[in-house]
Amino acid sequence: MTDAIGVILFIGVIAYAVFGGADFGAGFWDLTAGGAERGSAPRSLIDRSIGPVWEANHTWLIYCLVVLWTGFPPAFAAITTTLYIPLGLAALGIVLRGSGFAFRKVTLRTAQQRLTGVIFAISSVLTPFCFGGIAGAVASGRVPSAGGGAPLSSWLNPTGVLGGVLAVVVCAYLAAVFLSSAATHPYPDEALHLYFRRRALAAGIAVGIVCLAGVFVLHVDAPRLFHQLSTRGLALLIVSAAAGLAALATLRARRARRARLPRSLASLAVATVIAGWGVAQYPYLLGTHLSLTQAAAPASTLWVLVAVACTAAVLIAPSLAALYVLHERDRLTSSA
């Protein structure tokens, strides 16, 4: 039962990384789009692409928090009392990002639009960096079981910074792949497609460079995690690398530019690398000192949580799927 709850938790983590990651990455490209005139077309596509779904993507974050604090309360307490700074910054970033995105659409003055746009874009980079730092702190064992760990060094360390940088570039990669596809349907724009395709290729190369650098970082700073990733999680990492390279290859093939294949491959690449982290971490939730069994809530609570998760799968997952399909088919009015 405990392992089942762990799987349920990681399903939410993967879903938020893919859907929320593409959402945050769009903010990165908004930040780097250039001035008002030069960046007008990319920002318009970004607004149209994420407008109807950006709030729904945070459902997965709420799902993860609920499963963590209900299923593994000691781990939740340890994480929140140690990593309250990056958690607070991430929460602030989500709020500021949503506010900036919403107000940019309704403000009339250029100065106000620029300000809200900058807030939206910077928050879109800050939030995934903080989440990546949190993942690095948890994976490298810097969160004590009793909580109350070092508020800065627990996540501002080589593995934490690696996690933050990797989260930002992965989000940028996902978003560029998704946006390159969005530029072909329902309103084809060859120039925008090429614009985001080039950025997807560049972001994919950046992800590869960061991952290669990460090998050396983890070998020195988190040896157990490095060992587990290179043994138990190796197969999933190979699948991730292959899917990522295949996504870049299909993006370069002009005949595939209208296909959904690059998006699916990019999503698979992200999902499998996170699954690899989960496999490498097992059976521990925090480094090597708090296992799933030690952190688990009473069996009766876990059974209720399983029932709730199954109910959510029946009710909420189809609703989100319908939202994404309707958005894909341009049946929704884009709004903040």
Side-chain angles (χ1 to χ4, degrees):
M1 178 59 65
T2 303
D3 289 348
I5 300 298
V7 171
I8 289 172
L9 173 61
F10 248 81
I11 288 174
V13 173
I14 291 172
Y16 188 56
V18 172
F19 296 107
D23 197 358
F24 286 120
F28 175 87
W29 298 120
D30 188 291
L31 179 65
T32 59
E37 183 176 351
R38 178 186 172 189
S40 175
R43 290 189 178 104
S44 178
L45 177 62
I46 289 169
D47 286 352
R48 174 163 56 86
S49 298
I50 72 174
V53 299
W54 68 275
E55 291 175 297
N57 289 332
H58 293 305
T59 301
W60 297 111
L61 176 60
I62 298 170
Y63 169 92
C64 292
L65 291 174
V66 170
V67 173
L68 181 60
W69 84 52
T70 306
F72 307 103
F76 180 82
I79 291 171
T80 53
T81 57
T82 299
L83 301 172
Y84 54 87
I85 292 178
L87 285 168
L89 289 174
L92 178 63
I94 290 173
V95 173
L96 290 178
R97 182 178 185 274
S99 301
F101 184 64
F103 284 116
R104 184 172 66 173
K105 288 177 171 292
V106 298
T107 52
L108 300 178
R109 296 180 181 179
T110 302
Q112 293 175 337
Q113 290 179 341
R114 287 177 178 171
L115 176 60
T116 54
V118 167
I119 291 173
F120 162 70
I122 293 178
S123 299
S124 297
V125 175
L126 172 66
T127 303
F129 179 83
C130 290
F131 281 136
I134 292 168
V138 171
S140 61
R142 288 182 166 92
V143 179
S145 299
L152 290 178
S153 61
S154 59
W155 66 289
L156 292 179
N157 53 70
T159 302
V161 172
L162 170 66
V165 173
L166 185 60
V168 172
V169 294
V170 165
C171 289
Y173 164 70
L174 268 177
V177 173
F178 276 55
L179 289 167
S180 67
S181 176
T184 66
H185 178 80
Y187 310 107
D189 189 320
E190 184 67 15
L192 273 179
H193 168 70
L194 293 175
Y195 176 93
F196 281 110
R197 187 179 74 171
R198 288 193 295 267
R199 280 152 180 78
L201 294 172
I205 294 172
V207 170
I209 293 172
V210 173
C211 288
L212 287 176
V215 171
F216 301 98
V217 172
L218 293 181
H219 186 267
V220 174
D221 192 58
R224 181 196 178 270
L225 180 62
F226 171 81
H227 174 73
Q228 293 295 84
L229 284 173
S230 59
T231 53
R232 183 188 293 176
L234 183 60
L236 287 166
L237 296 186
I238 292 174
V239 171
S240 176
L245 290 173
L248 296 179
T250 55
L251 277 175
R252 287 185 59 84
R254 292 178 61 86
R255 64 180 179 275
R257 69 183 188 274
R258 295 179 183 272
R260 299 176 181 175
L261 185 58
R263 290 185 303 176
S264 301
L265 289 170
S267 299
L268 176 63
V270 174
T272 47
V273 75
I274 294 176
W277 166 37
V279 169
Q281 187 86 4
Y282 183 82
Y284 297 100
L285 268 175
L286 303 178
T288 60
H289 49 268
L290 185 66
S291 68
L292 289 168
T293 303
Q294 292 170 331
S300 57
T301 302
L302 297 183
W303 278 110
V304 172
L305 189 56
V306 168
V308 171
C310 292
T311 302
V314 172
L315 298 179
I316 298 177
S319 300
L320 291 173
L323 174 65
Y324 296 138
V325 170
L326 290 173
H327 177 46
E328 174 73 15
R329 296 177 179 178
D330 197 35
R331 300 291 181 84
L332 301 174
T333 300
S334 180
S335 61

